[in-house]
Amino acid sequence: MDKLNLRHLHYFWVIAREGSIARAAESLELTPQTLSGQLATFESALGNALFRRANRSLQLTDFGQTVFRYADDMFQTAQALADVLRQPPENRPLGLSVGIAASIHKLIAYRLTEPALALPREVRLSCHTGDTEVLLKRLGQRELDVVLTDRQPGSGDVGQVRSYRLANSSMSLFAAPELADRLSANFPQSLDHQPFLATSLDAPYTSALMNWFASQNIRVNVVAEVDDSALIKVFGREGVGYFAAPTVIRDEVCRQYEVVHIARIDEVRDTLYAVTRARGGYNAAVAELLRERPELDESIDKTE
């Protein structure tokens, strides 16, 4: 940073974009001599040539191309920021960067974020999936505005974050029509040793579901472990096995993946939370995402 003069870097960036010192000088409202001197000073500070002359034009050296890539990112971002700041505050887009735990069903993740996109102001949404612990770390580093997860933050995060319960649903079982017909009769004993599609992610409802199978004396025949909730449903649609999904998205699962609802298991629950930083506040897009969603919550108690 001692050698990086941002004004000189900007001059270099304009010269590279314009292709000549004369055109860049006109754009910057400087004399060519002044701009040429500023470029020479910058190259001297960096200790490397940024341009070479070829057929009366300037071409970037390999070093110059590297510097230009970084400068282009910087000044394009700065220009975008300037465009936003020129707008009245009430018209500026709201940023919403959401971390989504990989174990959350994608249909529910969409329904949780959908209200924020319906705000009168433009919302620029970015979604990032991953492990909850990694996402919470990124939240603390202010890379994310909110994290959607299926587990409460650990004790080490107390005081750093605040959690809100957004959804609470029983789990249901689904399968392709032919398999569902077989499994619906004499349920739940019909599940014994039948092909089951399990999530390989550490979803809290998974252990509860396995305990429920054991309580019903059902031998679970796991034919595939998949770490993507959408891919599990595709396997289910093709008749590979039956799978579990939250009851609150039953109709969407059946319609989108052409499967049949087998049964609802009230003893197995899937609870989802939104986690924000404890301090620093949040914008209207995050506030809308935190709003209670009764259509996704089968319970009334929201004391957590």
Side-chain angles (χ1 to χ4, degrees), residues 108 111-112 166-169 248-249 293-298:
I108 285 190
R111 289 177 63 179
L112 289 174
L166 297 183
N168 183 284
S169 173
V248 291
I249 54 171
R293 302 293 305 281
E295 71 274 20
L296 292 179
D297 200 333
E298 294 179 335

Side-chain angles (χ1 to χ4, degrees), residues 197-217:
L197 300 169
T199 176
S200 59
L201 298 168
D202 184 25
Y205 72 79
T206 301
S207 58
L209 183 60
M210 291 303 171
N211 289 336
W212 182 82
F213 283 142
S215 71
Q216 302 298 317
N217 296 318

Side-chain angles (χ1 to χ4, degrees), residues 52-59:
R52 59 175 175 269
R53 292 193 175 276
N55 299 326
R56 296 184 179 181
S57 65
L58 292 177
Q59 292 185 356

Side-chain angles (χ1 to χ4, degrees), residues 133-298:
E133 289 187 8
V134 174
L135 295 175
L136 289 178
K137 182 177 180 181
R138 294 184 64 185
L139 177 71
Q141 295 170 340
R142 297 188 175 275
E143 296 177 9
L144 300 173
D145 297 310
V146 62
V147 171
L148 301 179
T149 178
D150 50 11
R151 66 207 69 200
Q152 286 273 37
S155 57
D157 297 307
V158 173
Q160 304 300 315
V161 299
R162 184 176 179 184
S163 64
Y164 306 78
R165 195 173 76 185
L166 297 183
N168 183 284
S169 173
S170 62
M171 296 297 291
S172 283
L173 301 179
F174 303 82
E178 183 177 348
L179 178 58
D181 284 344
R182 296 205 318 264
L183 299 181
S184 295
N186 195 33
F187 181 88
Q189 286 69 32
S190 57
L191 301 176
D192 189 50
H193 211 62
Q194 293 300 306
F196 177 61
L197 300 169
T199 176
S200 59
L201 298 168
D202 184 25
Y205 72 79
T206 301
S207 58
L209 183 60
M210 291 303 171
N211 289 336
W212 182 82
F213 283 142
S215 71
Q216 302 298 317
N217 296 318
I218 294 168
R219 293 168 294 177
V220 182
N221 175 23
V222 177
V223 294
E225 291 188 10
V226 186
D227 67 356
D228 185 283
S229 63
L231 186 57
I232 282 182
K233 297 176 180 66
V234 173
F235 275 78
R237 181 186 65 195
E238 299 303 317
V240 177
Y242 68 98
F243 62 91
T247 305
V248 291
I249 54 171
R250 175 182 59 194
D251 293 343
E252 291 158 286
V253 170
C254 291
R255 180 175 61 254
Q256 183 170 336
Y257 294 95
E258 300 174 351
V259 293
V260 174
H261 178 251
I262 299 170
R264 165 178 167 168
I265 306 173
D266 287 321
E267 296 90 336
V268 180
R269 314 291 298 183
D270 186 33
T271 304
L272 304 184
Y273 304 89
V275 184
T276 65
R277 289 181 291 275
R279 300 176 182 84
Y282 42 76
N283 64 31
V286 177
E288 185 65 20
L289 190 148
L290 299 179
R291 183 173 57 83
E292 292 187 1
R293 302 293 305 281
E295 71 274 20
L296 292 179
D297 200 333
E298 294 179 335

